[in-house]
């Protein structure tokens, strides 16, 4: 390379190939290349590298999305339904943002219904995860609770369900139409999992009153207390989950 | 929010392409994309509307990939991903020819930081600033990786006889 002001630095050869020079400089580089075969050879080689990689990789763009980017556990029908379609992952995103859980039969259409739907979907997505069921594990419970309380803007508590045989696995932060939401996950010795979903809406002023919804064996008890909406979700019978819901409520109540 | 959803949908094929090229194995690449989408979804409230969602998603994907690679390194007995890097990520067509395959083999032998830089710039066609942000490095470092990667590729392809440059230097 020369030391004249017009000298083309090696970075500019890349920027030339990548179309990241302005038009004027790009013309200057083109002129320079006409008189510098070594640099022109590099530019040509870089371009052919790019063409070869694109030839090999671009077909990925046209591939149909796989049936569920990760195979769901076959026994969980709700999960299966969610993951089955090609755009599964996005449906999941859509779910929490307002997709209706068809067939879910809420007692009525209170604000809690939406909370129950969000909770059921979040439950279906995260309880089958073996490696990463939660973001923060129970061994950091104090941190988990203070973190989620801070983000959600209300003091939360992770109820203790050890009397019922369920230990806290941990929790994660989720996104709901109302804003951030929290999910606490519990597990018993048989690896059955229960989730407690909490979301806050400053416009709510509820008094805890259990409501129930069910679909495909997934049961949800949900209620609104103050500005917080709760939903307790598990694959278990209504009566069984009701005991858990009572325990949760008695610990969270004012 | 619905806008964000559509923006994410649009990026899925691109995330898959990048992951496939980075990881090599199709199933592992798709696992990585799924992890990325789950994380993006659970943190969508942290994404600021109007900012670059592509860079955000690629950053999440890349960090998940680094974490996974770190874990694999710490798990002795597992085959490293580079071991199957010689196989192209998609079935090459007849027209692709030897140069394409040769480029892929040479590309697979590059250190991963150089591969990531080349992929983001040449395949995803990101600006240097955007790619540097995704990789969490200064633009100068990105340029240096890009340069070293492309030069190494050029040498490897030339030495393997794949260079058909007309009127060569």
């Amino acid at each position: 390379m020369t030391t004249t002001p017009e000298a083309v630095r090696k970075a500019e050869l890349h920027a030339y190939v990548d179309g990241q020079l302005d038009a004027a400089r790009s013309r200057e580089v083109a002129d320079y290349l006409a008189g510098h075969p070594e640099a022109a050879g590099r530019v040509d080689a870089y371009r052919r590298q790019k063409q070869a990689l694109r030839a090999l990789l671009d077909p990925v763009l046209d591939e149909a999305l796989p049936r569920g980017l990760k195979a769901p556990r076959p026994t969980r029908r709700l999960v299966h339904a969610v993951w089955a379609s090609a755009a599964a992952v996005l449906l999941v995103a859509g779910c929490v943002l307002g997709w209706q859980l068809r067939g879910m039969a809420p007692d009525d259409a209170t604000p809690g219904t939406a909370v129950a739907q969000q909770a059921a979907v979040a439950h279906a997505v995260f309880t089958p995860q073996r490696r990463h069921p939660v973001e923060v594990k129970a061994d950091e419970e104090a941190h988990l609770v203070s973190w989620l309380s801070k983000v959600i803007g209300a003091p939360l508590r992770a109820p203790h369900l050890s009397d019922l045989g369920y230990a806290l696995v941990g929790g994660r932060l989720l996104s709901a139409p109302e804003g951030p939401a929290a999910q606490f996950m519990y597990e018993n010795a048989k690896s059955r999992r229960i989730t407690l979903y909490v979301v806050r809406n400053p416009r709510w002023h509820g008094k805890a009153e259990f409501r129930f919804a069910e679909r495909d064996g997934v049961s949800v008890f949900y209620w609104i207390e103050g500005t917080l909406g709760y939903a307790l979700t598990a694959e278990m019978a209504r009566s069984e989950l009701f005991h858990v819901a009572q325990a949760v409520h008695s610990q969270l109540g004012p | 929010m619905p806008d964000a959803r559509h923006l994410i949908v649009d990026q899925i094929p691109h995330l898959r392409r990048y992951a496939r090229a980075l990881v090599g194995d199709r199933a592992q690449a798709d696992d990585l994309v799924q992890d990325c989408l789950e994380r993006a979804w659970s943190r969508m409230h942290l994404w600021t509307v109007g900012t670059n969602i592509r860079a955000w998603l690629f950053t999440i994907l890349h960090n998940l990939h680094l974490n996974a690679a770190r874990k694999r390194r710490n798990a002795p007995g597992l085959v490293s991903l580079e071991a199957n890097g010689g196989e192209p990520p998609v079935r090459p067509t007849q027209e692709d020819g030897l140069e394409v395959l040769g480029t892929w083999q040479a590309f697979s032998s590059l250190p991963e930081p150089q591969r990531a830089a080349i992929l983001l710039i040449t395949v995803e066609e990101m600006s240097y600033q955007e790619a540097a942000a995704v990789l969490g490095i200064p633009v100068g470092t990105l340029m240096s990786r890009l340069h070293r990667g492309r030069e190494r590729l050029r040498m490897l392809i030339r030495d393997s006889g794949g260079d058909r440059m007309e009127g060569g230097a």
Side-chain angles (χ1 to χ4, degrees):
Chain A
M1 302 227 178
T2 68
T3 53
T4 62
E6 295 79 24
V8 173
R9 293 176 297 114
K10 70 182 182 191
E12 282 184 308
L13 290 184
H14 294 287
Y16 177 72
V17 171
D18 298 324
Q20 301 202 24
L21 290 178
D22 63 45
R25 187 59 183 158
S26 193
R27 275 193 301 275
E28 284 169 12
V29 173
D31 290 344
Y32 170 88
L33 291 175
H36 294 79
E38 199 272 335
R42 287 184 192 213
V43 164
D44 187 51
Y46 298 163
R47 282 199 168 131
R48 279 189 286 120
Q49 291 169 11
K50 176 174 177 153
Q51 280 164 10
L53 288 175
R54 298 289 302 244
L56 212 46
L57 293 169
D58 282 355
V60 177
L61 296 180
D62 299 324
E63 283 178 11
L65 291 181
R67 276 172 60 87
L69 289 172
K70 191 182 279 177
R73 301 211 317 177
T75 51
R76 294 177 185 255
R77 283 195 292 152
L78 182 61
V79 177
H80 193 74
V82 169
W83 288 106
S85 81
V89 171
L90 276 303
L91 260 186
V92 170
C95 292
V96 168
L97 300 170
W99 178 62
Q100 300 292 303
L101 257 188
R102 274 185 310 111
M104 187 154 227
D107 293 354
D108 61 25
T110 62
T113 312
V115 174
Q117 286 168 344
Q118 295 154 21
V121 173
H123 179 90
V125 170
F126 291 111
T127 53
Q129 302 273 333
R130 288 292 130 187
R131 278 192 309 143
H132 305 296
V134 295
E135 267 179 302
V136 177
K137 290 187 184 152
D139 55 10
E140 290 185 276
E141 183 181 335
H143 162 67
L144 170 69
V145 171
S146 68
W147 168 55
L148 292 174
S149 300
K150 195 172 152 195
V151 178
I152 288 181
L156 303 183
R157 267 175 290 171
H160 290 148
L161 304 175
S162 46
D163 288 353
L164 298 165
Y166 283 86
L168 183 68
V169 179
R172 68 166 66 234
L173 184 61
L174 297 168
S175 178
E178 289 84 4
Q183 184 191 55
F184 294 104
M185 193 182 295
Y186 295 82
E187 188 177 65
N188 73 0
K190 293 177 181 165
S191 299
R192 288 181 83 188
R193 286 174 168 176
I194 298 177
T195 56
L196 176 66
Y197 180 90
V198 191
V199 63
R200 178 169 173 266
N201 186 331
R203 289 199 304 276
W204 290 338
H205 39 84
K207 218 169 66 175
E209 193 178 320
F210 284 171
R211 293 178 189 278
F212 178 76
E214 187 272 340
R215 185 196 167 187
D216 286 349
V218 176
S219 300
V220 188
F221 272 103
Y222 58 99
W223 65 97
I224 291 175
E225 175 136 14
T227 58
L228 292 176
Y230 297 94
L232 189 72
T233 309
E235 285 99 330
M236 59 173 66
R238 177 177 183 149
S239 56
E240 197 182 349
L241 187 62
F242 182 67
H243 286 297
V244 185
Q246 280 181 313
V248 169
H249 175 251
S250 69
Q251 290 183 45
L252 296 180
Chain B
M1 281 306 225
D3 288 340
R5 230 187 308 156
H6 288 123
L7 292 170
I8 292 179
V9 176
D10 292 344
Q11 290 302 323
I12 291 184
H14 296 270
L15 293 165
R16 291 186 75 219
R17 175 171 66 177
Y18 178 62
R20 185 87 59 89
L22 205 59
V23 175
D25 178 75
R26 180 182 178 141
Q28 270 179 332
D30 280 341
D31 278 358
L32 184 62
V33 172
Q34 192 211 4
D35 287 350
C36 167
L37 293 168
E38 271 180 19
R39 182 152 303 203
W41 165 62
S42 68
R43 295 179 182 193
M44 211 183 273
H45 63 280
L46 296 177
W47 175 68
T48 315
V49 176
T51 60
N52 186 340
I53 201 161
R54 175 169 77 156
W56 186 65
L57 289 169
F58 273 81
T59 304
I60 293 173
L61 184 85
H62 193 80
N63 290 339
L64 286 169
H65 171 64
L66 289 186
N67 290 342
R70 203 172 294 132
K71 275 189 194 141
R72 269 192 301 276
R73 271 199 303 280
N74 294 336
L78 290 181
V79 184
S80 87
L81 286 177
E82 283 70 21
N84 60 19
E87 196 153 313
V90 291
R91 194 191 303 266
T93 62
Q94 293 258 309
E95 307 92 76
D96 283 342
L98 287 176
E99 183 171 9
V100 167
L101 284 178
T103 303
W104 179 254
Q105 268 163 10
F107 178 77
S108 302
S109 75
L110 296 180
E112 184 171 297
Q114 294 176 17
R115 283 193 285 135
I118 289 176
L119 288 172
L120 292 180
I121 298 301
T122 69
V123 180
E124 300 308 326
E125 298 192 315
M126 289 188 179
S127 72
Y128 296 145
Q129 286 74 17
E130 191 179 2
V134 165
L135 299 175
I137 55 177
V139 172
T141 308
L142 174 85
M143 295 307 293
S144 144
R145 289 181 187 177
L146 185 65
H147 180 71
R148 277 183 285 135
R150 278 174 161 169
E151 279 298 296
R152 176 96 184 118
L153 260 186
R154 188 168 71 91
M155 300 301 169
L156 287 169
I157 293 167
R158 191 180 58 188
D159 293 347
S160 72
D163 193 58
R164 293 180 285 104
M165 200 170 70
E166 284 128 35

